[in-house]
Amino acid sequence: MDWREVKRSRPDVVKIEAALYHDSEWVIKLAVDILDRITDGKAKQAIILRAIERGEQQTLWAAASLAIARGNSDVIGAIYERLGQSHSLGCEYLIWAILELGVSLDEQLLLILEMCFLRGTVQTAIAAADVALQFATPEQMELFLILERAAEYWKINEDPYPTHGGIIPNSPRDKIAKASAVISPPDYNRLKLYVSDSRSDVREIGTK
């Protein structure tokens, strides 16, 4: 497709932006592709900010994708604001976008991670654990304490692990344990807890 010709035809950007809120994942992905190519500067940033503020599910994927494609770290403040207020389905895409937008681990991000672990969905907690894994280093004890609280919370609140077959429910605890181990290697007592855990992914950590 000749995108220069498309741009010269003056497509209705408002209608294309509206497609970001469509029920169809395919329509949303098509709208992202078009908007990424025909908008720039302030227009694109305004679209991203509106999607971060109002979007749910795949619309938040669209916002994250447009921000990452543009390398737009200017939207980090809006992402933090959204994550500080809501953890609806799709917010995990905003958390993963954080990794791509070159943020540093500061007090604000630590607070956001704690909220995602303790107030969010299992999807946001898994995404937060991915971020924690990227930032985990031996000196990050503030992060370690957050991970400790997150592990305790999800041990109680995760869906039960099936004992006689069936679908294994998602849980962030294996990634939380891995990030914690980077910061502070588990002692013998903790390894014993891992190897006796109900989840096989956590037991594997105790045997490595």
Side-chain angles (χ1 to χ4, degrees), residues 95-113:
I95 301 169
W96 284 320
I98 289 171
L99 290 176
E100 303 292 335
L101 294 174
V103 301
S104 57
L105 186 65
D106 56 16
E107 292 297 326
Q108 189 174 15
L109 180 52
L110 285 168
L111 177 61
I112 290 297
L113 291 177

Side-chain angles (χ1 to χ4, degrees), residues 53-172:
E53 180 183 359
R54 306 171 188 170
E56 306 284 342
Q57 300 187 46
Q58 289 300 308
T59 302
L60 292 175
W61 169 85
S65 297
L66 286 168
I68 292 168
R70 189 169 181 247
N72 191 348
S73 60
D74 294 338
V75 303
I76 286 294
I79 290 175
Y80 285 175
E81 184 174 354
R82 173 63 190 265
L83 294 175
Q85 296 173 350
S86 167
H87 299 98
S88 57
L89 292 177
C91 281
E92 63 270 21
Y93 298 117
L94 299 181
I95 301 169
W96 284 320
I98 289 171
L99 290 176
E100 303 292 335
L101 294 174
V103 301
S104 57
L105 186 65
D106 56 16
E107 292 297 326
Q108 189 174 15
L109 180 52
L110 285 168
L111 177 61
I112 290 297
L113 291 177
E114 185 167 24
M115 294 177 71
C116 291
F117 279 130
L118 304 182
R119 301 184 190 176
T121 65
V122 65
Q123 289 87 356
T124 60
I126 291 170
D130 286 331
V131 175
L133 271 167
Q134 290 296 315
F135 285 108
T137 57
E139 69 270 14
Q140 292 292 350
M141 293 311 296
E142 285 185 88
L143 178 58
F144 181 78
L145 294 176
I146 292 171
L147 292 168
E148 290 283 277
R149 292 192 288 272
E152 292 176 8
Y153 176 87
W154 285 103
K155 176 76 172 177
I156 297 169
N157 290 282
E158 68 189 7
D159 290 338
Y161 196 86
T163 56
H164 300 290
I167 297 174
I168 298 174
N170 291 326
S171 171

Side-chain angles (χ1 to χ4, degrees), residues 3-4 7-8 11 13 16-17 31-50 66-67 69-72 74-75:
W3 290 104
R4 290 174 299 180
K7 201 168 184 178
R8 280 195 293 268
V13 174
I16 299 171
E17 180 183 353
V32 166
D33 192 29
I34 295 172
L35 288 170
D36 189 41
R37 294 172 183 271
I38 68 171
T39 61
D40 49 32
K42 292 182 178 179
K44 183 175 292 184
Q45 177 150 334
I47 290 169
I48 296 169
L49 292 174
R50 283 191 289 270
L66 286 168
R70 189 169 181 247
N72 191 348
D74 294 338
V75 303

